[in-house]
Amino acid sequence: MYKIDFSSIPKQIGNQVHINFIPGEEIFARLHGHVDFCELFLVLEGALEHWVDGERERLAAGDCRLLMPGAAHRFTPSDRPAALLNLAFRPSVWQEFARRYPEESDPETSGGIAVHLPEREAELFREEAAAMLLEGDCPRRRLDLLLMLIWKNIQTRPGSGTNPLPEWLAAAMEQLRRLPADRQKPAVLFSLCGRTPDHVERVFRGCYGMTPGSFLRGRRLRRAAERIVFSSDKIAVIAASCGFENPGYFHREFKNYYGVTPRAYRQRHRTLM
């Protein structure tokens, strides 16, 4: 990985992606739209107000947004000077990503995606963008990793449940997300919530539309799938690091979730990359 001072880097263009560091004094204040490309930006530091399609939101370091073509947005200053890392790419790049990873696609995100990246993942985002700038190129594998970071974090939001997320559960889920994958299990969630397992189960199902066990197993399987594609680690090692100590159980759960074995999943995606 590369570490770099983005403030010293001017706008550069790779084969597929236009990358730009935008310090606070240069962030667009006027309303603007993008007809022929998607825009992905990460707030590196500070805070700012973001207006998109007439709605206002306050963004701070670690907040990440993916805007689809047609979205109209602008930024206005806040109390802390901000800096953005901005990537723009043609819709065909996004469409191809969805074709290669159909299990990660969600038609409800067609208008845009809003996530907050944990500190270590925001740093990975910065480092991968720095590598693109230094190399003057954007290989498919590197761009896929950035998009995977977005998908992985959007999956932590409430799902098909109908109830609002209470503050105590939101706080526990955020704490849980910061733990290593092998510790992201229901028993740990119950402890973080400080409530009885039955109560947590009932509230969780109302908010997420599934049990904590199903939700967290899916999250750990997605983390394992990401490592299977983007690392050369042995599958058994990846399984153990994601909380699946029994290889046979991991193999069955992975195949039930993705429709193919872990090895076949790796071979399929490596062929496409």
Side-chain angles (χ1 to χ4, degrees):
M1 295 295 181
Y2 301 89
K3 291 188 179 295
I4 192 168
D5 176 7
F6 281 98
S7 63
S8 65
I9 299 297
K11 185 186 302 182
Q12 296 194 20
I13 301 176
N15 290 337
Q16 303 181 74
V17 178
H18 177 168
I19 306 176
N20 194 14
F21 167 82
I22 311 176
E25 63 272 14
E26 296 180 13
I27 293 176
F28 291 115
R30 62 181 177 81
L31 185 69
H32 63 286
H34 311 291
V35 177
D36 58 351
F37 61 89
C38 304
E39 180 177 349
L40 174 63
F41 67 84
L42 171 68
V43 182
L44 297 175
E45 58 186 41
L48 73 164
E49 303 287 338
H50 180 226
W51 299 75
V52 57
D53 293 334
E55 298 290 331
R56 184 181 67 174
E57 60 178 346
R58 180 180 172 86
L59 302 181
D63 286 331
C64 191
R65 298 292 182 266
L66 173 62
L67 303 178
M68 298 302 177
H73 73 127
R74 66 187 177 97
F75 300 102
T76 55
S78 184
D79 53 341
R80 287 178 289 151
L84 297 178
L85 181 60
N86 176 284
L87 292 83
F89 48 88
R90 294 196 176 281
S92 58
V93 173
W94 176 256
Q95 293 160 3
E96 189 171 341
F97 172 81
R99 284 197 298 270
R100 289 198 302 279
Y101 305 100
E103 63 279 358
E104 304 292 348
S105 301
D106 182 351
E108 294 184 3
T109 63
S110 59
I113 297 173
V115 300
H116 179 82
L117 296 183
E119 184 176 354
R120 62 185 177 183
E121 294 181 7
E123 180 62 23
L124 177 58
F125 192 106
R126 289 168 60 101
E127 291 177 348
E128 291 297 322
M132 294 182 202
L133 287 167
L134 290 171
E135 296 170 4
D137 194 11
C138 178
R140 178 184 295 174
R141 177 182 179 128
R142 186 154 278 147
L143 182 56
D144 278 359
L145 177 56
L146 296 183
L147 296 177
M148 279 288 192
L149 286 174
I150 305 304
W151 278 112
K152 181 173 65 176
N153 283 283
I154 199 173
Q155 294 289 357
T156 65
R157 299 160 132 200
S160 57
T162 58
N163 298 338
L165 193 66
E167 290 185 7
W168 59 266
L169 181 54
M173 290 297 288
E174 178 60 27
Q175 289 178 275
L176 190 72
R177 185 170 64 172
R178 296 176 181 178
L179 297 177
D182 63 345
R183 294 192 57 202
Q184 296 189 23
K185 296 184 177 181
V188 178
L189 175 62
F190 299 151
S191 177
L192 291 172
C193 288
R195 287 164 169 77
T196 65
D198 286 345
H199 180 65
V200 176
E201 287 257 7
R202 184 170 60 256
V203 174
F204 193 100
R205 186 188 290 272
C207 296
Y208 287 87
M210 65 182 74
T211 66
S214 295
F215 180 92
L216 296 174
R217 183 167 55 251
R219 176 190 283 183
R220 290 185 288 118
L221 285 168
R222 290 190 294 273
R223 179 64 60 89
E226 177 190 346
R227 289 191 56 192
I228 285 171
V229 173
F230 293 108
S231 82
S232 57
D233 295 341
K234 293 182 178 180
I235 289 175
V237 172
I238 293 174
S241 72
C242 292
F244 298 95
E245 293 80 7
N246 184 315
Y249 174 71
F250 173 70
H251 186 279
R252 289 193 301 274
E253 290 297 315
F254 192 97
K255 188 173 182 180
N256 286 338
Y257 195 86
Y258 284 104
V260 295
T261 65
R263 186 176 301 278
Y265 186 88
R266 170 174 273 174
Q267 292 174 341
R268 182 179 74 183
H269 291 297
R270 288 281 176 84
T271 299
L272 292 170
M273 293 173 67

